[in-house]
Amino acid sequence: MMFRWPGRAAGQRFFLASCLALLPALLWAEPWQRHTIDRSSRGADGVRLADANGDGRLDIATGWEEGGVIRVYLNPGPDKARSAWPQVTVGRVKSPEDAVLVDLDGDRRMDVVSCCEGSVRTVFVHWAPAVESDYLDPDAWKTTALPVTAGRQMWMYALPAQVDGRHGMDLLVGSKGDGATVGWLQAPADGRDLAGWKFHSLYKAGWIMSLVSRDLDADGDPDVIVSDRRGPSRGLLWLEHPGRNKVSEKWATHRIGADGLEVMFLDVGYLDRDRHEDILLSTRNSRMLAFYRLAGKGVRWRSELIPNPHGTPHGKAVAIADLDGDGHADIVHDTNTGGNRTHPGVTWLTRGRSGTGPWAVMDVSGTEGVKFDLLATIDLDGDGDLDVVGCEERDNLGVFWYENPLGK
């Protein structure tokens, strides 16, 4: 049958608009190309981004849980991003669950803090070399435990934050299991004075997955958004900073939602087009939850339930990002598939150019990989669209990034 172009101008415009509307689905009908940053150890457990070497590019810190190594990967720039990145093993510890870049001693060299569970139950600092040219030399790094944390809790997550407005950067920390808490490690005047670090407990927890710092009540102090996975208080909440002169006092607990659900990682960003940041939360209960910040006085939310892609029950991490450049927020979602390779473990969801209605699910990873973890979005190839950085533990895909095809 021969195709005939519509005769009327209106018909031509409708046909063109329909083709443009279908373009994203055609572009993303296949999995995105995966580029390996490193897969030389075992059990890559999360990616945390920061500029480690001051070149303006975001680098990556990762703890390898089974391999017992903490590594930093230096972003080589768009021309070399598709190859293995320059890396350094900054330390070796057992059962690491988290690693984050932060300058703890004020020497303008980014150190790394790692959190360990299991029998280790300690927060470690991996001190960066004093000489910039030695940054990629593993022998120039020094690992020390923070004594106030040693053997105390199964530490799961650390978040650098200036809590008390004094000295250097403090650390918000969360743990899991018996005696689990959210608390903060108060920095002494000299960050390398290990005995000078003090721990302050804020909240009795079950299993902390995410800590995100935001000034929710607009009083100039950093509050903390928390996802607590297990225990009688599980769900999504925020802890209210009492003020810089009252940091040792009780922080008020405010419940947001998802009570009783097994909540996982969260992200904060603009899901709708108002000026208020929203929260997107992953769960192991076959759904995501979006909490939209409401205008007006106080901190109030409305919620939206978003089914997990392909009916996957065990969601893991989420990210809010405009992947297709249409001005509306999309969602990146990954999961622990439990070995099920019928559906992709990493997907993205879009509402199209309208920004409303049901979420359409698109493939990112294909069926390679089964246990994904914390992820992030960043333009790594310099083509103007956001790529997806992540890691995977069971198939040992390691640390990698998926190339967004829109910029091709």
Side-chain angles (χ1 to χ4, degrees), residues 83-395:
S83 302
W85 291 17
Q87 62 167 270
V88 57
T89 297
V90 304
R92 297 180 181 275
V93 293
K94 293 182 179 180
S95 304
E97 276 291 330
D98 181 51
V100 63
L101 286 153
V102 54
D103 179 8
L104 282 187
D105 55 4
D107 66 353
R108 299 185 180 180
R109 303 282 183 268
M110 292 293 273
D111 312 302
V112 178
V113 171
S114 63
C115 294
C116 296
E117 57 162 342
S119 61
V120 181
R121 300 165 65 97
T122 299
V123 176
F124 292 91
V125 182
H126 310 277
W127 300 103
V131 180
E132 183 177 356
S133 58
D134 291 339
Y135 201 81
L136 290 180
D137 179 2
D139 294 331
W141 288 76
K142 181 181 179 181
T143 297
T144 58
L146 285 178
V148 72
T149 71
R152 184 166 182 166
Q153 298 177 37
M154 288 196 285
W155 304 103
M156 300 297 290
Y157 199 90
L159 177 68
Q162 182 48 264
V163 176
D164 60 1
R166 302 175 65 234
H167 307 318
M169 193 67 71
D170 307 302
L171 294 169
L172 290 156
V173 288
S175 59
K176 76 173 186 180
D178 293 341
T181 63
V182 174
W184 66 288
L185 291 163
Q186 186 175 22
D190 177 4
R192 289 197 178 237
D193 173 17
L194 300 178
W197 285 82
K198 298 179 180 179
F199 176 73
H200 304 271
S201 180
L202 301 177
Y203 164 81
K204 184 177 180 180
W207 183 339
I208 295 303
M209 293 298 296
S210 285
L211 300 174
V212 176
S213 179
R214 286 293 191 277
D215 182 9
L216 291 178
D217 52 5
D219 64 353
D221 298 315
D223 308 306
V224 189
I225 305 171
V226 180
S227 60
D228 190 356
R229 177 176 175 176
R230 294 276 177 87
S233 299
R234 62 183 177 175
L236 181 66
L237 59 128
W238 66 280
L239 303 175
E240 182 179 351
H241 193 298
R244 296 293 170 92
N245 296 323
K246 302 177 182 179
V247 287
S248 297
E249 299 181 8
K250 183 178 179 179
W251 293 36
T253 299
H254 303 275
R255 307 296 302 188
I256 298 174
D259 292 350
L261 298 181
E262 189 173 0
V263 299
M264 302 300 284
F265 289 116
L266 66 88
D267 193 23
V268 178
Y270 296 95
L271 275 168
D272 52 18
R273 306 190 73 174
D274 64 15
R275 60 186 181 87
H276 302 290
E277 282 193 309
D278 310 304
I279 301 173
L280 181 65
L281 178 68
S282 182
T283 79
R284 285 172 62 91
N285 303 95
S286 303
R287 73 197 80 168
M288 290 173 275
L289 291 169
F291 293 90
Y292 296 88
R293 178 77 182 267
L294 299 176
K297 293 183 179 181
V299 182
R300 301 176 299 120
W301 315 84
R302 67 174 178 87
S303 63
E304 175 191 6
L305 187 155
I306 304 171
N308 281 354
H310 305 296
T312 302
H314 296 159
K316 192 66 176 289
V318 287
I320 301 168
D322 181 6
L323 295 178
D324 52 11
D326 65 359
H328 296 285
D330 305 307
I331 293 171
V332 187
H333 179 272
D334 72 16
T335 182
N336 180 352
T337 69
N340 184 343
R341 299 181 187 275
T342 305
H343 302 299
V346 184
T347 53
W348 72 281
L349 294 82
T350 179
R351 280 177 159 162
R353 296 186 181 278
S354 69
T356 60
W359 293 90
V361 177
M362 305 287 186
D363 190 359
V364 172
S365 67
T367 56
E368 291 187 89
V370 294
K371 188 179 180 183
F372 296 89
D373 206 88
L374 194 60
L375 55 83
T377 57
I378 177 178
D379 181 9
L380 285 176
D381 51 7
D383 64 357
D385 56 34
L386 293 172
D387 309 300
V388 176
V389 182
C391 61
E392 193 274 341
E393 297 182 60
R394 288 295 174 261
D395 282 355

